Each structure stands twice: as C-alpha cells, then as structure tokens.
Amino acid sequence: MSKQTRKRELERLRARREAERQRERRRRALLVYGGLALVVVVAAVAGGLWLTNDDDKTPAAAAATTAAGAATTTAPASQFNDARAGAPTAPAQVACGGKIPAKVKRPSFTKPPTTKVDPDKTYLATFQTSCGDFTVKLDPAKAPITTANFVFLAGRKFYDSTWFHRIVPGGAAGIAVIQGGDPEGSGRGGPGYAIKDELPSSPAAYKKYSVAMANSGPDTGGSQFFINFEDNSKALQANYSVFGEVTGGRDVVDKIAKVPVAGQSGDTPTQSVWIEHLTVKVS
C-alpha cells in the first residue's frame, strides 16, 4: 500500500470515528433531555389537582390547575392582612364590585373526618360570595362520604375567604366549570387528606348546575369542587363524585362564569370572586 493510499485510509478511518463520536454525543444528549422532559411532565401531572389542566382530570383539585394570569398578584403572602395572606395569587381586583374578605385562621387535618350524614335529612349549603349568594342542595343519599366531608369542612369555616381560582369558559375549552375550595387558591391546596370516590353511573350526572368533587386521579378528592354552569355530560368522563346541585341563586353562578379569564390555559380569572362565608343548614 502506497503512502498516499494509506494516508487516505487513515483520513477515512478518523472521519468514521469522529462521526461515531458525534452520533454517540447526540444519543446521550437525547437521553438526558428526554429524561428531563419526562421529569417535568411527571411533576406537572403530580401537581395537578383539578379538575386539573387536563379537562378529563378536572377539577382538583389539584391541581396545579391553573397558570397565573397577568392580572394575578405574585407578592409574598406575608404582605397581606386580608384573605390574600392565604391565597397570594388572587387578583387584587374583586369582581362584581366586591371587596377582599378578612383572612381566617383555617384548620389543617391529617385524616378524613369520620362524621356521617343522614340520607333522610336535607342539607342546604349557602355560598355568600363577592357576586351574591347561591344555594346548593347536597345529596347525602348518592354521595354520603363526599357530602359528609363537605359539611365537615364548611362547619369549620374551611371554605371561608377562599376564591374561585379557576373558571373554564366552555366553548372551545370543551367544559364549562367554576372551580373553588382550594385554601391556597393555586389549584394545589387541600385539607391534608383524601376521600374515596362516589362516582356516578354515567356522565349524564354532569348536567347544568350540578356540583362535583375535583380530583387529580382516583380517590384523591379533598376540598376542591367544581360547578357545571353548562351541561358537561358530553365533555367529562364519569370520574368525579357529584354531591349536589345549585337550586337557588343560579343567576349568581352565571354571573361568576362571565368573569374574564386569562393565563396560559385561558382559565385563570383576572378578577377574584371570593367565598366570604359558606354555611350548611340541616333540616
């Protein structure tokens, strides 16, 4: 083999080796960034409670459910002497000409309540909000666990001075719901425990003005709930426990549903609607 031929062979060999090194570097980079992407996705799913950003895992609860919109406040909670001390992302502007309520000392829990409800009695939950009052008739017969949990939390003022942190306007969004019950107002908060599901037999339960428990997966409900202000029977799967229906003040629910929204997901209210007080009357 001549020196010239050998030189060409060595150059080809070096070129092949360099190409192999580049392929290996690209492969490793894909593995690293792919792994990071998976971690981000898993973290996002775990943080979701809501009826989360995934419309089929809504409300919860959990998630976080909503991205902060331009109108939300990001100042530290310690700055506030009102309800935003617990929910600092709530917009300073209150809808319907209302005011930010006083902060409350909210209890925390480590396990679900053991209290029960009587299926033969009537449970009416009254929501006093920035936009007016509305009433929800709870359903202790079809959802005794969820109803008992809601009554338990309301009786301890857990819902007082919390805001409706998510409004999904329907239309192209697919669902039309108002979500609340998060003490943090972020979509990630809850009472510190989870309760068992009491799922309906079909999505027909998500009719207009029905009220359901938000979650981030099976048996993960806590305090977050959502109100269907349109018929969502074709938009939701039967994954959420329905435990009541708005029977009075439906015009107030409709008014809340019209609050402007923004944010990456288009479901973050730009004005806050507060639950000033929530009480349950038993008869």
Side-chain angles (χ1 to χ4, degrees), residues 20 54 123 179 222 244:
E20 290 172 357
D54 180 350
Y123 295 79
Q179 189 172 334

Side-chain angles (χ1 to χ4, degrees), residues 232-254:
N232 288 317
S233 59
K234 295 182 180 179
L236 292 174
Q237 298 179 10
N239 294 332
Y240 313 98
S241 303
V242 176
F243 65 98
E245 180 181 353
V246 178
T247 54
R250 290 179 170 179
D251 59 322
V252 175
V253 172
D254 295 340

Side-chain angles (χ1 to χ4, degrees), residues 3-32:
K3 290 183 179 181
Q4 190 64 27
T5 302
R6 180 174 177 78
K7 182 179 179 181
R8 286 196 298 268
E9 288 294 327
L10 289 173
E11 288 175 350
R12 283 196 291 269
L13 180 60
R14 282 195 295 269
R16 282 199 302 269
R17 287 176 177 174
E18 181 60 27
E20 290 172 357
R21 291 192 190 99
Q22 289 180 358
R23 284 195 295 270
E24 181 64 18
R25 284 195 291 268
R26 285 195 296 268
R27 187 184 69 83
R28 290 178 179 175
L30 287 173
L31 288 174
V32 171

Side-chain angles (χ1 to χ4, degrees), residues 107-125:
S108 59
F109 311 94
T110 58
K111 56 184 178 181
T114 57
T115 54
K116 299 184 183 299
V117 287
D118 187 341
D120 296 323
K121 291 186 177 181
T122 300
Y123 295 79
L124 291 178

Side-chain angles (χ1 to χ4, degrees), residues 28-254:
R28 290 178 179 175
L30 287 173
L31 288 174
V32 171
Y33 292 122
L36 288 175
L38 179 61
V39 169
V40 171
V41 170
V42 170
V45 171
L49 90 47
W50 187 76
L51 213 39
T52 57
N53 278 332
D54 180 350
D55 292 340
D56 285 336
K57 293 182 179 177
T58 59
T65 37
T66 59
T72 59
T73 302
T74 57
S78 59
Q79 171 180 317
F80 303 117
N81 293 317
D82 51 31
R84 286 182 297 166
T89 60
Q93 182 180 356
V94 181
C96 307
K99 297 181 179 180
I100 299 173
K103 65 180 178 181
V104 300
K105 186 176 181 180
R106 192 171 290 104
S108 59
F109 311 94
T110 58
K111 56 184 178 181
T114 57
T115 54
K116 299 184 183 299
V117 287
D118 187 341
D120 296 323
K121 291 186 177 181
T122 300
Y123 295 79
L124 291 178
T126 299
F127 292 69
Q128 295 176 252
T129 81
S130 309
C131 291
D133 299 353
F134 64 90
T135 303
V136 172
K137 184 178 181 181
L138 305 180
D139 195 338
K142 291 183 179 179
I145 296 174
T146 312
T147 298
N149 176 69
F150 189 82
V151 172
F152 170 82
L153 292 174
R156 284 150 184 81
K157 303 185 184 301
F158 188 87
Y159 291 112
D160 290 8
S161 295
T162 60
W163 72 297
F164 290 102
H165 64 276
R166 190 181 189 199
I167 300 175
V168 187
I175 56 176
V177 300
I178 301 166
Q179 189 172 334
D182 177 2
E184 298 177 5
S186 64
R188 293 183 291 269
Y193 61 77
I195 61 174
K196 293 183 179 179
D197 291 333
E198 296 170 301
L199 303 181
S201 58
S202 78
Y206 305 117
K207 61 184 181 180
K208 189 173 183 178
Y209 299 122
S210 60
V211 182
M213 178 61 65
N215 63 51
S216 56
D219 299 324
T220 60
S223 61
Q224 293 191 46
F225 61 89
F226 62 97
I227 302 171
N228 298 286
F229 61 84
E230 295 292 348
D231 185 348
N232 288 317
S233 59
K234 295 182 180 179
L236 292 174
Q237 298 179 10
N239 294 332
Y240 313 98
S241 303
V242 176
F243 65 98
E245 180 181 353
V246 178
T247 54
R250 290 179 170 179
D251 59 322
V252 175
V253 172
D254 295 340

